[in-house]
């Protein structure tokens, strides 16, 4: 076995093992302990995070941030992975921002020149647009770790302009429209809640006195993790949807268990709304316009009417100079999408020949 092949297999072997001794590896690879020590030193120079322990039960261990063994990707697979990671650049916050930048750099650096040239051309041809947000979410990593490890966090959370401390047990994080959300069990409310991650101003692991719940079967696809839960106590709601309304609701994660569709594409929403979420859904249904008709829920209808009255009052006022805001010209609204100049058309005249003049 050549040295390069032995080092490659050694790299895969140490990544499979949690701990090992030089003697064990030497016997496994059929080399002397001195040769194995040199090989381990070379792996360490490659970046494999090894550390040694002395004593009768000592040996070598690989740190948690171990290097994965080489994986052979096809050209198409490598390009697909590159752009999957490249798409995350629009987010101002990520739970693994430094690792994302490092992975993209490694993928690009080790690709053949012709593949890099192809990627450079594709960068201007494909994109995954996400709204860029000014709000930062600096605690995504600890929220994700708590969800995976089933741990309780003490957070400082801002809601309706007021800050409060509360204990939560996250079940995951997800992003929508450039914002990050964390569904979690909240001990203060004794129920599941969805928290805006950019409104979390501090997050630390709770003390040992806070025993975590067994939420291994609760995840982002569960109805318990959604803002609205069918059958929960609250205000019952029933709303008819046009085909366009169904398509708009399909984009909302909370609507998965409440949305019902008919063969003609129309549908309806049926479920319950918690009292604290009435204002949120009043604004949402108003945003659907004529594509929704709320038929049940006096509380929701009252909240919608109240919000519409506030909008009417706001936009019925006079602007400076006495101009009614509702009568402003619609073409005054500017668009942020630049006008593209028409590309130059190639000449249809052949070299050496002139066009005939049109009569």
């Amino acid at each position: 076995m050549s040295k390069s092949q032995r080092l490659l297999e050694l790299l895969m072997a140490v990544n499979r093992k949690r701990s090992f001794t030089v003697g064990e590896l030497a016997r496994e690879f059929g080399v002397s302990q001195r040769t194995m020590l040199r090989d381990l030193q070379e792996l360490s120079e490659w970046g494999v995070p090894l550390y040694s322990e002395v004593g009768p039960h000592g040996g070598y261990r690989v740190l948690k941030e171990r290097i994965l063994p080489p994986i052979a990707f096809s050209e198409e697979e490598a390009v697909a992975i590159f752009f999957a990671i490249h798409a995350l650049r629009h987010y101002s916050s990520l739970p693994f921002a430094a690792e994302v930048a490092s992975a993209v750099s490694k993928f690009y650096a080790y690709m053949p020149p012709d593949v890099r040239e192809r990627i450079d051309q594709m960068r201007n041809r494909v994109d995954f647009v996400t709204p860029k947000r000014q709000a930062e979410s600096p605690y995504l990593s600890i929220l994700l770790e708590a969800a995976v490890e089933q741990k309780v966090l003490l957070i400082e959370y801002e809601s309706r302009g007021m800050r409060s401390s509360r204990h939560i047990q996250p079940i995951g994080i997800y992003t929508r429209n450039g914002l990050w959300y964390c569904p979690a069990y909240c001990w203060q409310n004794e129920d599941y809640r969805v928290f805006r991650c950019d409104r979390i101003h501090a997050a630390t692991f709770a003390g040992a006195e806070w025993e975590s719940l067994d939420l291994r079967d609760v995840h982002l696809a569960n109805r318990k993790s959604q803002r609205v839960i069918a059958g929960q106590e609250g205000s019952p709601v029933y709303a008819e949807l046009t085909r366009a309304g169904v398509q708009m609701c399909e984009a909302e994660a909370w609507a998965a268990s409440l949305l019902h569709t008919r063969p003609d594409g129309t549908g309806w929403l049926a479920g319950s709304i918690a009292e604290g979420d009435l204002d949120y859904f009043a604004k949402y249904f108003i945003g659907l316009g004529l594509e929704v008709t709320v038929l049940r829920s006096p509380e929701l209808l009252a909240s919608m009417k109240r919000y519409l009255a506030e909008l009417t009052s706001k936009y019925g006022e006079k602007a400076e100079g006495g101009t009614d805001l509702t009568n402003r010209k619609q073409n005054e609204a500017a668009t942020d999408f630049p006008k593209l100049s028409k590309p130059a058309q190639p000449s249809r005249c052949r070299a050496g020949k002139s066009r005939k003049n049109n009569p």
Side-chain angles (χ1 to χ4, degrees):
M1 181 187 299
S2 65
K3 180 180 179 182
S4 59
Q5 184 179 357
R6 187 177 71 246
L7 288 174
L8 180 59
E9 292 189 9
L10 180 61
L11 173 61
M12 292 187 285
V14 299
N15 273 283
R16 289 195 306 267
K17 302 174 182 288
R18 291 182 177 273
S19 61
F20 52 87
T21 66
V22 175
E24 291 172 353
L25 290 179
R27 289 190 296 272
E28 181 178 342
F29 284 87
V31 297
S32 66
Q33 292 195 22
R34 179 176 297 180
T35 299
M36 182 53 61
L37 281 172
R38 287 199 297 266
D39 288 350
L40 291 174
Q41 178 63 32
E42 194 160 343
L43 287 188
S44 181
E45 293 173 356
W46 285 4
V48 179
L50 299 173
Y51 74 99
S52 60
E53 294 180 335
V54 297
H57 302 289
Y60 281 85
R61 293 183 183 273
V62 183
L63 295 177
K64 182 179 179 181
E65 296 80 11
R66 61 184 184 272
I67 295 178
L68 297 178
I71 303 174
F73 291 110
S74 68
E75 179 180 321
E76 295 299 325
E77 289 172 336
V79 171
I81 293 174
F82 177 88
F83 277 98
I85 302 174
H86 184 65
L88 299 175
R89 73 191 186 282
H90 293 296
Y91 290 92
S92 59
S93 300
L94 288 170
F96 25 71
E99 292 80 1
V100 166
S102 176
V104 170
S105 176
K106 287 180 180 179
F107 255 94
Y108 188 80
Y110 287 99
M111 286 181 181
D114 60 320
V115 178
R116 288 203 299 267
E117 183 179 355
R118 182 184 174 197
I119 287 176
D120 291 338
Q121 292 296 325
M122 292 178 66
R123 277 177 171 173
N124 296 324
R125 306 294 181 181
V126 61
D127 202 357
F128 306 86
V129 178
T130 300
K132 289 190 176 181
R133 303 286 185 173
Q134 298 297 323
E136 297 285 341
S137 300
Y139 299 103
L140 295 178
S141 296
I142 191 173
L143 292 169
L144 182 57
E145 181 180 352
V148 173
E149 301 293 336
Q150 298 280 289
K151 294 182 179 179
V152 180
L153 295 179
L154 173 62
I155 66 169
E156 184 178 336
Y157 190 69
E158 181 179 350
S159 178
R160 296 182 177 88
M162 299 180 62
R163 292 193 183 187
S164 62
S165 296
R166 60 183 72 195
H167 288 85
I168 67 170
Q169 184 172 335
I171 63 174
I173 57 175
Y174 65 90
T175 180
R176 187 174 69 233
N177 296 328
L179 293 174
W180 285 92
Y181 299 86
C182 176
Y185 182 84
C186 177
W187 267 264
Q188 178 176 309
N189 300 102
E190 297 183 346
D191 199 358
Y192 293 94
R193 290 289 187 270
V194 178
F195 298 91
R196 275 263 301 267
C197 295
D198 58 295
R199 294 177 181 172
I200 298 177
H201 297 281
T204 56
F205 289 107
E209 68 275 10
W210 284 89
E211 184 177 353
S212 62
L213 302 175
D214 185 2
L215 302 182
R216 288 172 294 181
D217 295 329
V218 182
H219 47 79
L220 295 181
N222 262 299
R223 284 158 46 178
K224 289 184 179 180
S225 70
Q226 309 303 334
R227 178 183 291 272
V228 179
I229 306 171
Q232 73 175 23
E233 293 184 4
S235 177
V237 61
Y238 179 88
E240 282 287 337
L241 297 167
T242 65
R243 281 184 291 182
V246 169
Q247 294 172 0
M248 295 166 75
C249 288
E250 285 175 340
E252 300 295 334
W254 54 260
S257 61
L258 309 179
L259 180 61
H260 307 271
T261 57
R262 300 185 179 94
D264 63 356
T266 64
W268 70 95
L269 287 169
S272 299
I273 295 177
E275 182 180 353
D277 294 328
L278 283 172
D279 289 343
Y280 171 87
F281 283 99
K283 296 175 182 178
Y284 177 77
F285 284 128
I286 288 173
L288 293 180
L290 299 178
E291 312 304 332
V292 64
T293 303
V294 179
L295 300 177
R296 192 185 305 162
S297 181
E299 296 85 357
L300 177 60
L301 288 169
S303 183
M304 293 173 66
K305 291 176 181 178
R306 185 166 53 251
Y307 185 63
L308 285 171
E310 293 175 358
L311 285 175
T312 303
S313 174
K314 177 177 181 179
Y315 290 103
E317 297 174 356
K318 299 291 184 178
E320 292 183 9
T323 303
D324 195 319
L325 290 172
T326 59
N327 293 328
R328 285 186 175 177
K329 294 181 180 179
Q330 305 233 350
N331 59 9
E332 288 180 354
T335 177
D336 60 355
F337 193 84
K339 293 183 178 180
L340 300 178
S341 59
K342 189 175 181 180
Q345 297 295 325
S347 174
R348 297 183 180 178
C349 300
R350 294 183 178 178
K353 293 184 180 181
S354 59
R355 289 183 177 179
K356 294 182 179 180
N357 293 328
N358 293 326

